[in-house]
Amino acid sequence: MSLQPSDTAPPAASDPTPDRSSAEPSHPAPEARPEVPVKKTRRSGCLAWLLLVIAVFVGLMLIPGGEEEVAEVAGEFELHPIIEIPAIGPIDLSITKAVIYLWITVAIIVAISIVIARTLKPVPGKLQTIIESLYELARDGIAGSVMKQGAERWFPFIGGLFFYILISNLIGLIPLPFGEHEQLAFYAATGNLNVTIVLAVFTFVFTQYAGVKAHGLFRYMRSWAPSGAPPVLKQFIWGIHVISEIFRLVSLSVRLFANMVAGHAILAVFFAMALIFQSYAIAVVLQGGSVAIYLFEIFIAFIQAFIFAVLSAVYIGGALEEGH
Amino acid sequence: MEADAAKLLGAGLAMGLGAIGPGIGLGTLIGKAIEGIARQPEVAGELRTSMFIGIGVTEAVALYAFVIALILIFVA
């Protein structure tokens, strides 16, 4: 879905960088803009907006909750069904806040895609510049630079993963009213092991599919062991490769899950610390710390989406390449 | 020692000891990557990509320790 603007994006993508657009005579417009002051106000405005949001959130955290309630750090990750659906056998399909967060993620991605696709301009606006540079990162920085072959074919999956995880992580840093008693609270869908395992299973299945499709089942299986080794060693290495292939599932899913949970737990601890100590002096110091941690979490949200997408690209690219 | 106390102690030890290795690893990794970028700024982009892949793989070790700590506290 995030690929909607893709077909038309590349020609306009070179516009935001001033040195490249000056090399292209076909787009003289960006040079006329005063680059430096615009950038400065935009960035500081963004930062001020962010700090305001954080301050408001911190205030909301501190005012309504009693100590006992806020100090409960683990409560964020408890899932209570919001809409109960009777379970089918062992599968419980109730709508929890995790499901709602996934819906919100999808809705945001679809909305951004539609808006961008409808309003594509040769001289990009703010949103278009952001989306274009992210798109360029996903296409050239992740799929293009990591996969030696098949980057074009597998970019939709890699890019989709990147955008989905990125948006999902970032939504996790906005307080939404899905906490206990409808309080504003943090939650990230990617901080739920079920979600990350499903994403990792997608990568796993597509990796095997790509390998089998490129080389045929038996050649792909044989390519897991080096061809020159003696037979006993070969079987041993083959077994190790099977284990490592399965362990990728664990490492991919647990990495994203644990990063999100750890980040949110640290945020919650920082926010709750002032209440635990019952002191204004500590509160003032810790609020600074909370803001720093919050900014760091934004960075982590981005890095984790990047790493998940890059590793998926590495795995799929490896499967395509093996067997020569 | 009570079982709960042992659990909490184990969780703390798991997280603390589990963070040593990845800490050293990340320091080496990022330091080397910056060294490489300083020597050859023209390949900075590629180095950065591989650095992030390395960070992801290394950092995962600490996160396993974190998951074990969580399991010790809430599940075990």
Side-chain angles (χ1 to χ4, degrees), chain A residues 74, chain B residues 4 7-12 66-76:
Chain B
D4 278 349
K7 265 186 210 168
L8 294 179
L9 200 59
F66 174 75
V67 171
I68 296 294
L70 282 189
I71 290 173
L72 279 175
I73 295 173
F74 294 111
V75 182

Side-chain angles (χ1 to χ4, degrees), chain A residues 274 279-289:
Chain A
S279 145
Y280 283 111
I282 289 177
V284 169
V285 175
L286 279 177
Q287 288 326 309

Side-chain angles (χ1 to χ4, degrees), chain B residues 42-74:
Chain B
E42 62 271 15
V43 291
E46 283 173 41
L47 280 177
R48 209 171 291 132
T49 310
S50 355
M51 183 183 84
F52 281 128
I53 298 174
I55 287 177
V57 174
T58 315
E59 177 196 54
V61 179
L63 295 170
Y64 299 148
F66 174 75
V67 171
I68 296 294
L70 282 189
I71 290 173
L72 279 175
I73 295 173
F74 294 111

